[in-house]
Amino acid sequence: MDRRFLEEDGQPYVLAVGCQQCLWQNLRQRRVDKIADEISADAWSRLNIADGAKGPGAHDWAAGHRWSIECCFEAAKQETGLDNYEVRSWHDWYRHITLSMTALALLGVIRVTANEAALGGKPTSRTRRSTK
């Protein structure tokens, strides 16, 4: 499948590149292996993506928060109109973004509450409650 097709479809994907591949970082191109070497050892974790014909698809990952942030912005675009703004000043843009992200957070709380009510008050796997 083509990367551009996945991006146009809004489909999350992971792209593997060779160590000689260059990426832009701080306004200059740098090799991927040099960038990876600078990431501290405790920032890496091994995750199983999917089980395949050859067994578990375990890969080492770093900087994993970026993906969850991108998913959050994509959800806000679809659910709260994050990308539907016509503003003329930075203040207006900031207010729109703040309102959209607040609405997304509220929708998340409503979903969790509704799911718990549907399960008879039992917390879902995504909620964290104190056992005290």
Side-chain angles (χ1 to χ4, degrees):
M1 227 176 227
D2 187 276
R3 175 182 61 87
R4 281 174 248 125
F5 172 78
L6 294 171
E7 287 176 353
E8 290 170 4
D9 197 36
Q11 178 65 40
Y13 66 95
V14 174
L15 180 65
V17 296
C19 63
Q20 74 282 1
Q21 177 70 40
C22 290
L23 298 176
W24 285 98
Q25 185 182 43
N26 299 326
L27 301 176
R28 62 186 177 111
Q29 286 195 338
R30 300 192 57 221
R31 284 177 50 127
V32 171
D33 57 347
K34 301 298 181 195
I35 295 170
D37 288 343
E38 294 174 359
I39 299 173
S40 66
D42 60 339
W44 292 94
S45 59
R46 182 155 291 193
L47 300 174
N48 184 28
I49 302 307
D51 291 328
K54 298 179 182 178
H59 300 279
D60 294 326
W61 296 82
H65 292 291
R66 178 179 178 174
W67 184 253
S68 60
I69 292 168
E70 288 183 18
C71 289
C72 180
F73 276 100
E74 186 60 35
K77 287 177 185 177
Q78 294 176 6
E79 297 183 30
T80 63
L82 179 67
D83 58 347
N84 296 328
Y85 58 88
E86 294 181 22
V87 297
R88 296 179 185 259
S89 73
W90 181 88
H91 292 289
D92 293 338
W93 173 83
Y94 185 79
R95 288 178 185 131
H96 175 76
I97 298 298
T98 303
L99 180 62
S100 292
M101 297 309 279
T102 303
L104 184 66
L106 178 63
L107 288 173
V109 170
I110 292 170
R111 281 190 191 110
V112 168
T113 304
N115 287 340
E116 286 180 357
L119 294 172
K122 297 177 184 173
T124 62
S125 62
R126 294 185 135 190
T127 60
R128 296 180 186 165
R129 292 217 171 144
S130 173
T131 55
K132 294 179 182 179

